[in-house]
Amino acid sequence: MLGRRAAAGVAVGAARGAGAGRSRAAADALTAAATAALITPGRLIRASLEQTSANLDAAAVGFLRWGLVPPDGDVAIGTLEAWRQGLAVPSGHGIHRNDDGGEYDRRAWIAVDMWLADAWRAAGRADRADALVAGSYTHLRAHGPGLER
């Protein structure tokens, strides 16, 4: 996983002088624009400009994975909790990708569970991360990867 700050660090390391400053400034400007556009007044991350604060889409976990917000800050924790509560599968062990309910999104569960496990671990909540991994493992052992939950 290469976050935007790490990517800027790579660019800074390769650049000299003014180029290094421009790389840092570009990374900071990108972060400011993304957070201004995609963090709702209720402090939740939305996945696109078309979504309202009522929509839930765990694909926005990229905000956390790429370091655009602190992993243990109020935006990250609030968003993770909203997804955990609003996108839970019926068994209670896993997360749907979004609240649209389409077949594609229902079948993305293993990727979503692993993304969110990483995000919970970065937020200091290993218990939530471990529960997602354990639930995914149990489901895979019983049913294989092709079945939705």
Side-chain angles (χ1 to χ4, degrees), residues 7-61:
V10 169
V12 167
R16 300 283 187 252
R22 283 193 304 272
S23 294
R24 275 194 202 98
D28 290 342
L30 176 62
T31 297
T35 56
L38 297 174
I39 294 178
T40 71
R43 309 289 291 152
L44 298 177
I45 303 167
R46 58 187 178 155
S48 71
L49 295 176
E50 290 79 27
Q51 289 185 321
T52 67
S53 58
N55 297 120
L56 296 174
D57 190 338
V61 73

Side-chain angles (χ1 to χ4, degrees), residues 68-88:
L68 297 177
V69 296
D72 57 351
D74 64 323
V75 171
I77 298 297
T79 301
L80 287 167
E81 281 294 340
W83 293 337
R84 187 179 72 81
Q85 294 172 22
L87 298 177

